[in-house]
Amino acid sequence: QVQLVESGGGLVQPGGSLRLSCAASGSILTTYDMGWYRQAPGKERELVAIVTRGGSTKYADSVKGRFTISRDNAKNTVYLQMNPLKPEDTAVYYCHASIVVRGALTLTDYWGQGTQVTVSS
């Protein structure tokens, strides 16, 4: 089927930057919306940003102006550039994609394994 593999997380100081990547692979016909969610300890998972196949973007108010989501359709990859980072951005970040697999007629939601982002001095 399909796997989403994330990379780019790590430890960074406040004001620093990170770029997350998430590559979808497998029996993919078409990848539609791709996005990033995050979950901090004790909190619900929340949408951070989403990008459509055509490149339209939406952001959570908390990250607007600081984060940039983008994608490379040829590589089935979505990115999240985070700058500047704040301590409250600390969370596990999960990649999400809505995908039609080969031979299927409907969308299926896929999730990455999660990557830890820690913002601390």
Side-chain angles (χ1 to χ4, degrees):
Q1 293 192 62
V2 174
Q3 293 192 50
L4 272 56
V5 179
E6 304 178 31
S7 63
L11 174 64
V12 65
Q13 294 183 347
S17 64
L18 286 172
R19 191 181 80 152
L20 306 182
S21 299
C22 174
S25 62
S27 300
I28 298 171
L29 179 62
T30 308
T31 301
Y32 290 93
D33 293 353
M34 304 184 81
W36 292 93
Y37 292 72
R38 68 186 182 187
Q39 188 166 25
K43 295 186 177 181
E44 295 183 348
R45 187 174 298 188
E46 64 174 348
L47 176 67
V48 176
I50 189 169
V51 57
T52 70
R53 183 170 181 82
S56 298
T57 60
K58 294 182 180 179
Y59 298 91
D61 288 341
S62 59
V63 307
K64 196 169 298 182
R66 299 188 298 118
F67 290 10
T68 301
I69 189 170
S70 61
R71 66 190 289 168
D72 185 335
N73 288 339
K75 297 180 179 179
N76 263 325
T77 300
V78 62
Y79 307 92
L80 186 68
Q81 180 68 46
M82 304 182 290
N83 180 48
L85 283 160
K86 300 178 178 180
E88 51 262 45
D89 296 319
T90 296
V92 177
Y93 284 70
Y94 296 92
C95 175
H96 171 267
S98 296
I99 294 172
V100 177
V101 302
R102 298 187 186 278
L105 299 175
T106 59
L107 288 167
T108 300
D109 293 331
Y110 291 92
W111 292 90
Q113 79 279 9
T115 185
Q116 177 71 48
V117 172
T118 302
V119 185
S120 176
S121 59

